């Protein structure tokens, strides 16, 4: 059964039970604690260990936690919601201290005269946007997922999409911050550093990967509430050529694009600012962030496993255009009011349009009745004329079960659900057209593998402004994000993995792309000095704030390019390229016995990728 993503969700069954997510941090008496990311497995599949975990509820308690680490010389790391993909939240070594901000979330202080809000580090995005809206204020941009903490969000450079004004990166709205750094005994082993926009060090602290200190509070610059107006259009991907992408980015304040290279089409999300008094009560409830049935989630996964194992992408490819059109016609999560999509434009308050979720919590979220995606089951033909099935509560879809169905997040690691690589690389805007042209060349050489990208929605293209944060990008840039299948078994190559590796290396190496700090596989973080605004200045601040490196780990040192470290970001061992721990140098880094050999790229010769070759073709090389 090919049941794929973007299916039509007809609403939560009223009696659906909830399968909770496991806590990111788990402790077991004297054997210590572990911390996991949202998918439950780190890039290197090794656990992240610590001796203990602390849960401060106030700045004083946070201070005491940092002081404890400092007094005992322990490695320490602050964990927000642990939704980052790579090992940023892991303290160095195995016996450090984890500080969770889960309960550091009671402060949301709005100043209506300065249009700012000051929050505790652990406040969740969903609570922030709702609360400030009560005061007629809004944070113009944010990640699409509302289950992140304020400090975690800014500390990885999390963003929305848009080049205008301050841009789409949340750290560029930070105008103040309080953080606790380790200190000498005379100072009580910790101290509070209070930064405002006048302090140059804020450029380091507002995007810090957690290595400068434990953030207690963050102050954001807000704007008076406005609305967004959204329309979705499917276009030929020739619209991405030349200055096409850049023109689109400059014309639409919140625009973004989902590119389906196999079909040669792209879904343009045309999203603009309109006045707060424009009529419309819309929202954007992204289906993949809402509660979904466990049966459904597992059947999606099985569908992709079957495609991988059989090597047959036929159905995926056949359905891609249909799927994309269905997204467009169904609103793709946009609803005009309540639960229904009736047509474009969808106009709604900024905070209802910018971020969503729902799967992270036990309580019933806003039920989604809209067409939220695409049913990939070939036997289920969508109604081409009206799209009316989307609001038909009685629609009977094969995967729908009855009242006892369990619901959860797609990525809940306790079931066989979403398990993917997440490659997100931003390329300077001046190189975007060339990057697109290279991906198209690769597509034209071998179109079919590209359709496995359609599974999660194609290549997601978003826009970032130049930033003053030392660890951000110094130019306007275009973020390309690819989410693709990862095998449960570390030694199983991914079908057509050479293609994904080549795109990754084109973006990182050929175009000097900058990886999203909170996503990506290890290899993407090589040579970050060349890709950031001011790495030297950042490291200088780190030296002043945390000279003993208590908040740093081997991984954070590696990605910051600290030279004293024996290894760079890559780990060379057998099969290392299968999971992006390395760029292959020889065949052993791939999987020769399974037919995967280290070969040059097809469109970018300097790339080194693991390509499947039959014995005949490989011996002829
Ligand atoms: C479903 C999903 C959707 C996403 N969508 C987007 C998106 O649209 N755009 C985007 O850019 N990203 C997106 N992300 C990535 C996400 O926004 C980032 O990974 C973000 O950093 C996660 O926040 P967190 O609270 O989980 O941080 P964590 O992963 O817990 O921590 C991130 C970093 O912040 C540090 N940190 C956290 N709290 C503190 C503190 N109090 N003091 C000091 N350091 C601290 C940690 O040490 C770590 O280095 C998404 C992730 C998921 C899982
Ligand atoms: C806790 O640790 C003990 C001792 O190491 C181990 O035997 C036990 O299985 C662990 N329990 C859990 C729930 O992990
Ligand atoms: C609110 O902001 C104004 C203007 O910046 C400032 O003068 C005032 O002190 C702030 N109020 C509080 C309670 O912080």
């Amino acid at each position: 059964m090919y049941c794929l993503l973007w299916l039509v969700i007809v609403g939560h069954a009223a009696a659906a039970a909830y399968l909770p997510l496991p806590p990111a941090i788990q402790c077991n008496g004297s054997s210590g604690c572990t911390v996991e990311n949202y998918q439950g497995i780190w890039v290197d599949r090794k656990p992240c260990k610590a001796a203990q975990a602390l849960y401060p509820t106030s700045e004083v308690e946070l201070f005491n936690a940092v002081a404890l680490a400092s007094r005992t010389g322990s490695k320490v790391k602050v964990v927000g919601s642990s939704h980052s993909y790579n090992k940023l939240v892991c303290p160095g070594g195995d016996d450090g201290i984890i500080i969770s901000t889960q309960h550091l979330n009671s402060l949301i202080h709005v100043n209506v005269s300065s249009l700012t809000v000051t929050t505790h580090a652990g406040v969740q995005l969903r609570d922030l946007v709702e609360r400030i809206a009560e005061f007629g204020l809004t944070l113009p941009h944010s990640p699409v997922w509302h289950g992140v903490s304020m400090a975690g969000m800014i500390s990885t450079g999390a963003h929305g999409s848009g080049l205008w004004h301050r841009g789409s990166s949340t750290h560029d709205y930070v105008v103040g911050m309080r953080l606790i750094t380790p200190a000498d005994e005379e100072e009580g082993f910790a101290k509070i550093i209070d930064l405002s926009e006048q302090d140059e060090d804020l450029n380091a602290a507002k995007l810090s990967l957690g290595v400068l200190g434990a953030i207690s509070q963050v102050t954001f610059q807000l704007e008076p509430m406005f609305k967004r107006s959204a329309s979705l259009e499917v276009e030929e991907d020739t619209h991405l050529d030349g200055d096409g992408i850049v023109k689109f980015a400059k014309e639409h304040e919140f625009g973004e694009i989902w590119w389906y290279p196999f079909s040669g089409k792209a879904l343009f999300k045309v999203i603009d600012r309109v006045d707060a008094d424009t009529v419309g009560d819309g929202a954007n409830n992204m289906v993949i962030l809402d509660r979904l049935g466990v049966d459904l989630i597992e059947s999606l996964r099985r569908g992709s496993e079957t495609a991988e194992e059989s090597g047959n992408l036929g159905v995926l490819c056949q359905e891609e255009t249909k799927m994309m059109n269905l997204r467009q016609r169904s609103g793709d999560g946009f609803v005009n009011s309540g639960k229904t999509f009736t047509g474009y434009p969808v106009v709604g308050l900024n905070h209802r349009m910018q971020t969503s979720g729902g799967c992270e919590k036990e309580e019933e979220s806003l039920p989604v009745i809209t067409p939220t995606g695409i049913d990939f089951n070939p036997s289920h033909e969508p109604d081409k004329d009206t799209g009316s099935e989307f609001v038909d509560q009685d629609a009977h879809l094969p995967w729908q079960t009855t009242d006892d169905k369990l619901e959860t997040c797609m990525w809940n690691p306790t079931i066989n659900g979403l398990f993917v690589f997440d490659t997100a690389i931003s390329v300077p805007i001046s190189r975007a057209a060339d990057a697109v042209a290279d991906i198209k060349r690769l597509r034209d050489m071998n179109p079919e593998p590209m359709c496995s990208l359609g599974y999660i929605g194609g290549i997601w293209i978003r826009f970032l402004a130049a930033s003053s944060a030392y660890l951000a990008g110094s130019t306007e840039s275009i973020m390309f994000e690819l989410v693709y299948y990862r095998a449960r078994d570390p030694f199983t190559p991914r079908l057509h993995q050479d293609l994904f590796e080549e795109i990754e290396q084109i973006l990182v190496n050929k175009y000097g792309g900058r990886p999203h700090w909170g996503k990506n596989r290890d290899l993407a973080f090589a040579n970050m000095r060349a890709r950031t605004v001011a790495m030297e200045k950042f490291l200088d601040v780190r030296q002043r704030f945390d000279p003993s490196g208590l908040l740093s780990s081997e991984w954070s040192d590696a990605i910051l390019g600290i030279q004293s470290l024996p290894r760079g970001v890559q780990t060379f061992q057998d099969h290392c390229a299968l999971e992006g721990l390395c760029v292959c140098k020889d065949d052993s880094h791939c999987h020769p016995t399974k037919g995967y050999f280290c070969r040059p790229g097809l469109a970018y010769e300097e790339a080194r990728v693991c390509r499947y070759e039959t014995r005949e073709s490989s011996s002829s090389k």
Side-chain angles (χ1 to χ4, degrees):
M1 172 185 173
Y2 287 94
C3 187
L4 295 181
L5 198 53
W6 304 111
L7 13 87
V8 181
I9 305 299
V10 188
H12 300 289
Y18 181 68
L19 178 69
L21 296 161
I25 300 166
Q26 300 199 33
C27 297
N28 176 11
S30 57
S31 55
C33 303
T34 58
V35 52
E36 295 292 359
N37 69 5
Y38 65 109
Q39 292 187 33
I41 297 179
W42 296 106
V43 179
D44 62 5
R45 298 191 189 240
K46 293 188 186 135
C48 213
K49 292 189 184 156
Q52 58 176 317
L54 302 171
Y55 292 81
T57 62
S58 64
E59 187 174 272
V60 171
E61 289 178 11
L62 183 66
F63 185 99
N64 291 340
V66 174
L68 171 69
S70 170
R71 185 163 51 77
T72 55
S74 303
K75 290 285 191 178
V76 58
K77 201 82 198 189
V78 189
V79 180
S81 306
S82 207
H83 279 103
S84 299
Y85 190 79
N86 71 77
K87 279 187 149 165
L88 287 177
V89 297
C90 304
D94 280 348
D95 52 5
I97 298 174
I98 295 168
I99 302 176
S100 165
T101 59
Q102 195 181 345
H103 303 306
L104 185 62
N105 60 359
S106 56
L107 176 77
I108 303 183
H109 179 91
V110 175
N111 184 333
V112 288
S113 62
S114 60
L115 306 187
T116 57
V117 64
T118 298
T119 77
H120 268 160
V123 165
Q124 297 277 296
L125 179 59
R126 61 170 172 268
D127 297 328
L128 176 91
V129 299
E130 284 295 334
R131 177 56 62 88
I132 60 180
E134 291 166 15
F135 294 84
L137 297 173
T138 194
L139 181 65
H141 292 271
S142 74
V144 297
W145 162 241
H146 70 197
V148 296
S149 72
M150 291 299 97
M153 173 179 88
I154 60 170
S155 299
T156 61
H159 59 87
S161 183
L163 296 176
W164 296 19
H165 313 303
R166 287 179 187 239
S168 65
S169 300
T170 49
H171 56 80
D172 284 325
Y173 293 81
V174 173
V175 293
M177 184 184 270
R178 284 165 72 84
L179 69 167
I180 321 280
T181 62
D184 296 338
E185 185 168 4
E186 307 86 77
E187 293 171 283
F189 290 108
K191 68 176 175 220
I192 296 174
I193 297 186
D194 197 342
L195 298 172
S196 73
E197 249 189 325
Q198 279 73 54
D199 297 301
E200 240 184 87
D201 288 346
L202 189 64
N203 292 327
K206 65 190 182 182
L207 198 190
S208 72
L209 316 182
V211 303
L212 298 186
I215 298 164
S216 163
Q217 298 180 9
V218 187
T219 302
F220 292 96
Q221 184 65 57
L222 305 176
E223 290 184 18
M225 181 59 81
F226 58 87
K227 284 183 174 171
R228 291 187 184 197
S229 171
S231 296
L232 272 50
E233 293 162 10
V234 174
E235 305 277 7
E236 300 297 319
D237 70 3
T238 48
H239 283 71
L240 305 177
D241 298 346
D243 63 355
I245 291 193
V246 177
K247 249 182 92 202
F248 178 78
K250 301 222 158 160
E251 270 167 22
H252 301 288
E253 187 173 359
F254 305 102
E256 58 183 58
I257 302 168
W258 296 69
W259 178 23
Y260 289 80
F262 173 76
S263 304
K265 297 209 165 24
L267 183 64
F268 285 77
K269 295 198 170 178
V270 181
I271 309 178
D272 296 297
R273 180 188 296 242
V274 293
D275 286 344
D277 56 12
T278 310
V279 177
D281 189 23
N284 181 14
N285 303 323
M286 277 183 83
V287 66
I288 53 173
L289 308 177
D290 207 336
R291 287 168 56 166
L292 296 173
V294 168
D295 292 351
L296 167 63
I297 296 169
E298 292 196 323
S299 73
L300 290 171
R301 175 68 190 180
R302 277 196 303 276
S304 57
E305 282 169 353
T306 307
E308 283 281 321
E309 281 155 21
S310 65
N312 180 2
L313 294 172
V315 177
L316 268 177
C317 296
Q318 274 167 35
E319 298 291 311
E320 189 174 279
T321 305
K322 202 193 283 176
M323 182 165 71
M324 193 175 18
N325 288 332
L326 196 51
R327 280 182 78 180
Q328 192 274 335
R329 284 190 297 123
S330 68
D332 197 34
F334 284 105
V335 290
N336 300 78
S337 77
K339 313 155 187 169
T340 45
F341 172 72
T342 49
Y344 299 116
V346 172
V347 175
L349 293 167
N350 185 52
H351 68 296
R352 297 270 159 77
M353 301 281 278
Q354 73 184 152
T355 191
S356 70
C359 72
E360 74 280 20
K361 273 194 159 180
E362 174 101 44
E363 305 107 69
E364 189 69 24
S365 59
L366 230 181
V368 179
I369 295 199
T370 42
T372 35
I374 294 186
D375 186 334
F376 225 146
N377 187 332
S379 67
H380 177 67
E381 287 292 324
D383 180 339
K384 291 218 161 54
D385 296 322
T386 62
S388 61
E389 66 174 271
F390 299 129
V391 289
D392 178 0
Q393 298 240 33
D394 297 326
H396 198 77
L397 301 177
W399 44 266
Q400 272 190 299
T401 50
T402 43
D403 29 21
D404 60 347
K405 93 174 181 187
L406 262 181
E407 293 179 338
T408 191
C409 288
M410 281 193 74
W411 53 83
N412 188 326
T414 65
I415 60 172
N416 185 24
L418 184 86
F419 189 51
V420 287
F421 293 120
D422 186 349
T423 293
I425 315 279
S426 65
V427 166
I429 203 164
S430 57
R431 317 291 310 269
D434 293 338
V436 166
D438 278 353
I439 296 173
K440 285 189 172 184
R441 277 208 294 148
L442 207 49
R443 183 259 322 267
D444 295 341
M445 283 176 217
N446 192 7
E448 197 180 86
M450 286 279 180
C451 59
S452 56
L453 282 175
Y455 180 76
I456 301 266
I459 299 179
W460 191 4
I461 297 175
R462 290 189 282 180
F463 308 110
L464 308 180
S467 174
S468 54
Y470 295 157
L471 292 187
S474 58
T475 59
E476 289 183 326
S477 56
I478 302 207
M479 179 68 82
F480 293 86
E481 183 161 2
L482 298 79
V483 175
Y484 47 105
Y485 180 89
R486 184 178 185 188
R488 295 275 168 204
D489 167 38
F491 304 131
T492 299
R494 194 208 175 292
L495 184 62
H496 306 300
Q497 78 161 50
D498 56 321
L499 170 86
F500 300 95
E501 288 184 286
E502 188 166 347
I503 295 176
E504 190 177 33
Q505 291 175 42
I506 285 173
L507 296 174
V508 174
N509 295 332
K510 185 165 179 191
Y511 295 110
R514 199 177 55 83
H516 187 306
W517 289 107
K519 302 180 181 177
N520 289 294
R521 315 192 302 169
D522 291 5
L523 72 103
F525 293 98
N527 192 17
M528 291 305 294
R529 272 166 206 253
R531 305 168 204 271
T532 45
V533 169
M535 180 65 86
E536 294 305 329
K537 286 189 185 173
F538 181 83
L539 294 177
D540 169 63
V541 177
R542 192 190 75 128
Q543 188 57 33
R544 280 188 282 121
F545 282 20
D546 180 22
S548 323
L550 296 182
L551 288 129
S552 292
S553 63
E554 190 187 325
W555 173 243
S556 70
D557 282 353
I559 62 182
L560 293 172
I562 293 181
Q563 264 138 22
S564 61
L565 206 84
R567 72 167 172 94
V569 293
Q570 301 191 51
T571 308
F572 289 96
Q573 60 193 31
D574 283 357
H575 314 309
C576 56
L578 300 186
E579 300 217 289
L581 298 175
C582 69
V583 173
C584 67
K585 286 184 176 162
D586 60 52
D587 292 341
S588 69
H589 298 147
C590 298
H591 206 317
T593 54
K594 289 191 175 162
Y596 284 77
F597 300 91
C598 186
R599 296 285 182 251
L602 297 172
Y604 172 47
E605 279 215 358
E606 288 86 338
R608 288 293 173 275
V609 300
C610 296
R611 183 168 303 123
Y612 180 75
E613 285 174 359
T614 57
R615 191 159 307 174
E616 279 156 43
S617 63
S618 67
S619 59
S620 69
K621 292 261 151 151

